[in-house]
Amino acid sequence: MIKSYRLEIGNRCNPRSLQRIAFAVNCISELSGVDLSKTYTIAFVSIRDIAIALRVALLSKGKEELGKVYNWEVINLIRLWGKVLSAYPKESGLRPLIYPYAQVTSGLMRLVPSPRNYGLRFHCARYLIDLMGSSGVYIPVASALLEALNCREVLKGKGGAAENARKQKKNGRGEKGNEKRIVKPLDWRCILRVSDNSLKSKHFREGVVNQVRMSQ
């Protein structure tokens, strides 16, 4: 069942697949309570494999190695095990997994610190906050969220947009020579990485502030 979830359901994320992912996560979470000993073994192996891939990615910084952990398949596994651990936070059989899960998820959260990758950061932070609330175990998340609020792209606000407009005009690339690209509001539920165009938009700035606010 975990293999099917990983390869057929959790390997992508878009507005249409969100409901199916949530349904699968809830079903697996409920079934996990039937045999906590077996669930521990499966979860331990899954989290360990992610930890190994994360360590390789951190050491090499290569695109191929980063791609093995920076994807929806891994993030949706983190989503799944966060849900399972949150559903049985006091069970002695699964509680020992909270620490390694938190370590791996925190590592993923800061894997690529660029603002373009804040989507992944917000996903990981949300799962950790949910687990912290259900288990009572303190997990440091606030610094990663405050770091997002203090990034240059958020702090520059409208002043940065005005400065970009002045530069375009100075370089002869005004509205006549270069039509404005329409940037749609960001659906952070389905985002791991934002585009360069979105990064410079007010939707990105407002989205980061809203995501941090919702995480409190």
Side-chain angles (χ1 to χ4, degrees), residues 39-54:
T39 297
Y40 175 91
T41 301
I42 296 172
F44 175 84
V45 172
S46 180
I47 295 170
R48 181 197 63 188
D49 289 346
I50 296 174
I52 293 173
L54 176 62

Side-chain angles (χ1 to χ4, degrees), residues 13 16 47 55 65 73 75 81 85 103-104 110 118 122 145 150 155 157-158 162 167 178 182 214:
C13 185
R16 290 177 297 178
I47 295 170
R55 176 177 171 78
E65 289 74 17
E73 183 178 317
I75 296 304
W81 297 126
L85 294 176
Q103 288 291 98
V104 170
R110 294 183 175 278
Y118 280 173
F122 293 143
L145 295 176
N150 289 320
L155 292 178
K158 294 182 179 180
K167 287 181 179 180
N178 184 29
I182 298 176
M214 291 168 58

Side-chain angles (χ1 to χ4, degrees), residues 158-174:
K158 294 182 179 180
E163 180 64 23
N164 289 335
R166 285 194 294 270
K167 287 181 179 180
Q168 284 188 350
K169 187 175 182 180
K170 182 179 179 180
N171 294 330
R173 297 199 304 271

Side-chain angles (χ1 to χ4, degrees), residues 90-144:
K90 306 298 182 181
E91 301 292 340
S92 59
L94 295 183
R95 197 168 178 82
L97 290 175
I98 291 178
Y99 178 75
Y101 172 86
Q103 288 291 98
V104 170
T105 306
S106 296
L108 281 172
M109 186 165 57
R110 294 183 175 278
L111 176 61
V112 186
S114 166
R116 290 185 178 86
N117 304 284
Y118 280 173
L120 181 145
R121 178 174 299 201
F122 293 143
H123 282 289
C124 292
R126 192 174 302 114
Y127 306 147
L128 290 174
I129 290 171
D130 288 344
L131 178 58
M132 186 163 43
S134 63
S135 67
V137 175
Y138 172 72
I139 304 172
V141 178
S143 61

